[in-house]
Amino acid sequence: MSNMMNFSAGPGALPIEVLLEASRAVEALPETGVSVLGMSHRSAWFRDVLDEAENNLRKLLDMPDNYHVIFMQGGSSLQFSMLPMNFLRGTDRHAEYIVSGYWSAKALIGGQVEGETKVVWDGKDTGYTRLPGLNDLHLSHDAAYLHYVSNETVEGLEFTWVPGLKDVPLACDMSSNLLASPVGIDKYAFIYAHAQKNLGPSGVTVCILQNEFVNRANRTLHSMLDYHAHIQARSVFNTPPVFSIYVLMLVTRWLRDKIGGLAAMGTINRKKADLIYGALDTDAGFYRVCSRRPFRSTINIVFNLPDPALEKLFLDESQREGFHGLEGHRSMGGLRVSLYNAVSLDAVKALSTWLVEFLRQHG
Ligand SMILES: *Cc1c(COP(=O)(O)O)cnc(C)c1O
């Protein structure tokens, strides 16, 4: 098995350069002579790491100045709760949710605990194989916010447009596609993404909040659940995951210096997805892609084989060939190829060749 052939859905592959630098840092940081695992979160060294991580994100995303960036814990699942705690609890408004798959359905539950919610579109009737268009959404101007998931990691569905109304704050879970291609940040009031799909190791979640939006937040919460507290403390309200943030910073540096930014990354990712879909589409009776064509994700490609026994054989033989992480989500079964930023074009070429070969042998 090779690090280069990791198609895991999450925690996902990380660039080899980053893994090498991080492993040296575990032994001792060249700057301090001390292991990164023993560095104080109050040290000047860590302040620099936080500042660079934030600044790299700002530059990569071409972020307007009226946004805060904070590094949180609790994964994206905590954001399913914090968003409605901060912006729905105690208001006389309702929150709107697009339910397009597994993760957006989980986000909705967080809203339902805190107040009135309205599902403006549900993909259930079409088996979560497609996404809505603008005319499919039943939106209202007085909602507290609209929430959606830009890339449904489990089903392999990716939005190619930004839903919502100009006067309703837009909140988005970008856990599986933030930094995979450019984003128009100014359309959003709130973006969050845990690191373990595309940005780094698990343990840290990036939250990007528009100033005007965060000013409306509920101020009666425990500090750990209050966005203001984390903004004020500049992500060190309590001990943050120092190592995860350090590695995330290295990943943003890699994107900046080695890849050359998000437009370049997006082009590479498009090529990777085209290679895999190209191999799967050669015999659509054998490889059955779950999502309908216009909604296919460039990041997570979900498919089935004609029967479960063949899927098991595919997984066993793929593993023997050195490919890792091709099993589908436990809620779906089937197969899934995840093409996060660190998965190289060479690795994808090898996998697409293998897909053609497996079809030749078993199709
Ligand atoms: C994986 C995933 C999650 C779950 O995140 P946790 O950090 O495990 O809570 C949430 N949303 C999306 C879109 C995901 O892909």
Side-chain angles (χ1 to χ4, degrees), residues 75-77 80 103 149 151 153 173 175-176 194 196-197:
S76 292
S77 296
F80 297 163
W103 289 117
V149 174
N151 182 70
T153 321
D173 175 358
S175 294
S176 50
H194 61 195
Q196 68 264 32
K197 306 270 163 71

Side-chain angles (χ1 to χ4, degrees), residues 21-53:
E21 190 161 354
S23 54
R24 281 193 296 269
V26 168
E27 215 172 293
L29 283 160
E31 306 92 285
T32 67
V34 168
S35 166
V36 61
L37 301 181
M39 286 299 297
S40 166
H41 60 294
R42 305 281 174 201
S43 64
W45 172 82
F46 187 60
R47 186 69 253 165
D48 287 346
V49 168
L50 275 171
D51 289 346
E52 182 178 342

Side-chain angles (χ1 to χ4, degrees), residues 115-126:
E116 196 189 327
T117 57
K118 189 177 147 201
V119 175
V120 294
W121 188 80
D122 196 328
K124 191 166 54 193
D125 298 341
T126 44

Side-chain angles (χ1 to χ4, degrees), residues 7 39 51 77 116 122 152 162 167 176 180 260 276 305 321 352:
F7 297 90
M39 286 299 297
D51 289 346
S77 296
E116 196 189 327
D122 196 328
E152 287 283 6
V162 179
D167 48 358
S176 50
I276 299 301
L305 291 179
E321 293 288 318
S352 77

Side-chain angles (χ1 to χ4, degrees), residues 88 94-98 108 116-120 138-148 165 168-169 171:
L88 181 59
H94 71 283
E96 302 196 329
Y97 285 80
I98 297 175
L108 170 67
E116 196 189 327
T117 57
K118 189 177 147 201
V119 175
V120 294
H138 306 286
L139 302 172
S140 36
H141 289 276
D142 60 348
Y145 58 81
L146 169 67
H147 180 276
Y148 81 113
L165 299 172
V168 174

